[in-house]
PDB file of all heavy atoms in Angstrom:
ATOM      1  N   THR B 555      22.523  30.126  13.041  1.00  0.00           N
ATOM      2  CA  THR B 555      22.218  31.498  12.628  1.00  0.00           C
ATOM      3  C   THR B 555      23.000  31.900  11.372  1.00  0.00           C
ATOM      4  O   THR B 555      22.961  33.051  10.960  1.00  0.00           O
ATOM      5  CB  THR B 555      22.549  32.501  13.765  1.00  0.00           C
ATOM      6  OG1 THR B 555      23.929  32.363  14.097  1.00  0.00           O
ATOM      7  CG2 THR B 555      21.686  32.252  14.992  1.00  0.00           C
ATOM      8  N   ASP B 559      19.818  37.153   9.132  1.00  0.00           N
ATOM      9  CA  ASP B 559      20.299  38.536   9.258  1.00  0.00           C
ATOM     10  C   ASP B 559      20.535  38.833  10.744  1.00  0.00           C
ATOM     11  O   ASP B 559      20.235  38.008  11.616  1.00  0.00           O
ATOM     12  CB  ASP B 559      19.299  39.520   8.635  1.00  0.00           C
ATOM     13  CG  ASP B 559      17.919  39.408   9.257  1.00  0.00           C
ATOM     14  OD1 ASP B 559      17.841  39.029  10.448  1.00  0.00           O
ATOM     15  OD2 ASP B 559      16.920  39.678   8.567  1.00  0.00           O
ATOM     16  N   GLU B 560      21.067  40.029  11.012  1.00  0.00           N
ATOM     17  CA  GLU B 560      21.488  40.326  12.376  1.00  0.00           C
ATOM     18  C   GLU B 560      20.307  40.320  13.357  1.00  0.00           C
ATOM     19  O   GLU B 560      20.414  39.799  14.471  1.00  0.00           O
ATOM     20  CB  GLU B 560      22.192  41.679  12.403  1.00  0.00           C
ATOM     21  CG  GLU B 560      23.053  41.836  13.643  1.00  0.00           C
ATOM     22  CD  GLU B 560      23.675  43.200  13.754  1.00  0.00           C
ATOM     23  OE1 GLU B 560      23.749  43.907  12.736  1.00  0.00           O
ATOM     24  OE2 GLU B 560      24.071  43.558  14.878  1.00  0.00           O
ATOM     25  N   THR B 561      19.171  40.874  12.904  1.00  0.00           N
ATOM     26  CA  THR B 561      18.007  40.942  13.797  1.00  0.00           C
ATOM     27  C   THR B 561      17.577  39.535  14.201  1.00  0.00           C
ATOM     28  O   THR B 561      17.367  39.247  15.391  1.00  0.00           O
ATOM     29  CB  THR B 561      16.830  41.640  13.063  1.00  0.00           C
ATOM     30  OG1 THR B 561      17.348  42.791  12.419  1.00  0.00           O
ATOM     31  CG2 THR B 561      15.718  41.999  14.008  1.00  0.00           C
ATOM     32  N   ASN B 562      17.437  38.669  13.213  1.00  0.00           N
ATOM     33  CA  ASN B 562      17.026  37.293  13.495  1.00  0.00           C
ATOM     34  C   ASN B 562      18.057  36.550  14.333  1.00  0.00           C
ATOM     35  O   ASN B 562      17.711  35.754  15.208  1.00  0.00           O
ATOM     36  CB  ASN B 562      16.770  36.523  12.199  1.00  0.00           C
ATOM     37  CG  ASN B 562      15.400  36.831  11.635  1.00  0.00           C
ATOM     38  OD1 ASN B 562      14.421  36.895  12.383  1.00  0.00           O
ATOM     39  ND2 ASN B 562      15.311  37.032  10.335  1.00  0.00           N
ATOM     40  N   THR B 563      19.325  36.804  14.046  1.00  0.00           N
ATOM     41  CA  THR B 563      20.404  36.157  14.805  1.00  0.00           C
ATOM     42  C   THR B 563      20.290  36.521  16.282  1.00  0.00           C
ATOM     43  O   THR B 563      20.349  35.648  17.156  1.00  0.00           O
ATOM     44  CB  THR B 563      21.780  36.600  14.266  1.00  0.00           C
ATOM     45  OG1 THR B 563      21.856  36.218  12.897  1.00  0.00           O
ATOM     46  CG2 THR B 563      22.926  35.980  15.031  1.00  0.00           C
ATOM     47  N   LEU B 564      20.089  37.813  16.568  1.00  0.00           N
ATOM     48  CA  LEU B 564      20.013  38.257  17.959  1.00  0.00           C
ATOM     49  C   LEU B 564      18.771  37.701  18.663  1.00  0.00           C
ATOM     50  O   LEU B 564      18.826  37.341  19.835  1.00  0.00           O
ATOM     51  CB  LEU B 564      20.044  39.790  18.038  1.00  0.00           C
ATOM     52  CG  LEU B 564      21.371  40.414  17.578  1.00  0.00           C
ATOM     53  CD1 LEU B 564      21.273  41.925  17.541  1.00  0.00           C
ATOM     54  CD2 LEU B 564      22.536  39.980  18.471  1.00  0.00           C
ATOM     55  N   LEU B 565      17.679  37.583  17.889  1.00  0.00           N
ATOM     56  CA  LEU B 565      16.450  37.003  18.447  1.00  0.00           C
ATOM     57  C   LEU B 565      16.676  35.559  18.878  1.00  0.00           C
ATOM     58  O   LEU B 565      16.292  35.140  19.972  1.00  0.00           O
ATOM     59  CB  LEU B 565      15.354  36.985  17.377  1.00  0.00           C
ATOM     60  CG  LEU B 565      14.416  38.171  17.290  1.00  0.00           C
ATOM     61  CD1 LEU B 565      13.470  37.999  16.122  1.00  0.00           C
ATOM     62  CD2 LEU B 565      13.622  38.267  18.585  1.00  0.00           C
ATOM     63  N   LEU B 566      17.308  34.806  17.989  1.00  0.00           N
ATOM     64  CA  LEU B 566      17.574  33.398  18.274  1.00  0.00           C
ATOM     65  C   LEU B 566      18.543  33.241  19.438  1.00  0.00           C
ATOM     66  O   LEU B 566      18.349  32.392  20.310  1.00  0.00           O
ATOM     67  CB  LEU B 566      18.125  32.696  17.028  1.00  0.00           C
ATOM     68  CG  LEU B 566      17.168  31.683  16.420  1.00  0.00           C
ATOM     69  CD1 LEU B 566      15.970  32.381  15.843  1.00  0.00           C
ATOM     70  CD2 LEU B 566      17.848  30.874  15.336  1.00  0.00           C
ATOM     71  N   GLU B 567      19.548  34.094  19.442  1.00  0.00           N
ATOM     72  CA  GLU B 567      20.535  34.022  20.531  1.00  0.00           C
ATOM     73  C   GLU B 567      19.860  34.263  21.877  1.00  0.00           C
ATOM     74  O   GLU B 567      20.137  33.587  22.862  1.00  0.00           O
ATOM     75  CB  GLU B 567      21.633  35.074  20.322  1.00  0.00           C
ATOM     76  CG  GLU B 567      22.631  34.700  19.253  1.00  0.00           C
ATOM     77  CD  GLU B 567      23.712  35.751  19.092  1.00  0.00           C
ATOM     78  OE1 GLU B 567      23.759  36.711  19.891  1.00  0.00           O
ATOM     79  OE2 GLU B 567      24.507  35.620  18.145  1.00  0.00           O
ATOM     80  N   LYS B 568      18.932  35.241  21.889  1.00  0.00           N
ATOM     81  CA  LYS B 568      18.250  35.558  23.149  1.00  0.00           C
ATOM     82  C   LYS B 568      17.408  34.360  23.611  1.00  0.00           C
ATOM     83  O   LYS B 568      17.448  33.973  24.785  1.00  0.00           O
ATOM     84  CB  LYS B 568      17.370  36.797  22.966  1.00  0.00           C
ATOM     85  CG  LYS B 568      16.756  37.257  24.285  1.00  0.00           C
ATOM     86  CD  LYS B 568      16.017  38.552  24.146  1.00  0.00           C
ATOM     87  CE  LYS B 568      15.398  39.016  25.468  1.00  0.00           C
ATOM     88  NZ  LYS B 568      14.863  38.004  26.327  1.00  0.00           N
ATOM     89  N   LEU B 569      16.710  33.753  22.659  1.00  0.00           N
ATOM     90  CA  LEU B 569      15.884  32.591  23.014  1.00  0.00           C
ATOM     91  C   LEU B 569      16.757  31.461  23.559  1.00  0.00           C
ATOM     92  O   LEU B 569      16.432  30.828  24.570  1.00  0.00           O
ATOM     93  CB  LEU B 569      15.113  32.098  21.780  1.00  0.00           C
ATOM     94  CG  LEU B 569      14.350  30.795  21.972  1.00  0.00           C
ATOM     95  CD1 LEU B 569      13.207  30.966  22.958  1.00  0.00           C
ATOM     96  CD2 LEU B 569      13.799  30.281  20.653  1.00  0.00           C
ATOM     97  N   ARG B 593      29.820  36.791  22.282  1.00  0.00           N
ATOM     98  CA  ARG B 593      28.554  37.117  22.962  1.00  0.00           C
ATOM     99  C   ARG B 593      28.027  35.944  23.785  1.00  0.00           C
ATOM    100  O   ARG B 593      27.511  36.119  24.870  1.00  0.00           O
ATOM    101  CB  ARG B 593      27.478  37.488  21.925  1.00  0.00           C
ATOM    102  CG  ARG B 593      27.586  38.897  21.358  1.00  0.00           C
ATOM    103  CD  ARG B 593      26.283  39.286  20.679  1.00  0.00           C
ATOM    104  NE  ARG B 593      25.931  38.420  19.567  1.00  0.00           N
ATOM    105  CZ  ARG B 593      26.278  38.617  18.295  1.00  0.00           C
ATOM    106  NH1 ARG B 593      27.012  39.668  17.978  1.00  0.00           N
ATOM    107  NH2 ARG B 593      25.917  37.788  17.348  1.00  0.00           N
TER     108      ARG B 593
END
Side-chain angles (χ1 to χ4, degrees):
Chain B
T555 58
D559 57 29
E560 199 185 341
T561 315
N562 279 317
T563 300
L564 294 174
L565 268 176
L566 249 68
E567 284 181 7
K568 186 174 180 323
L569 173 67
R593 282 196 299 269

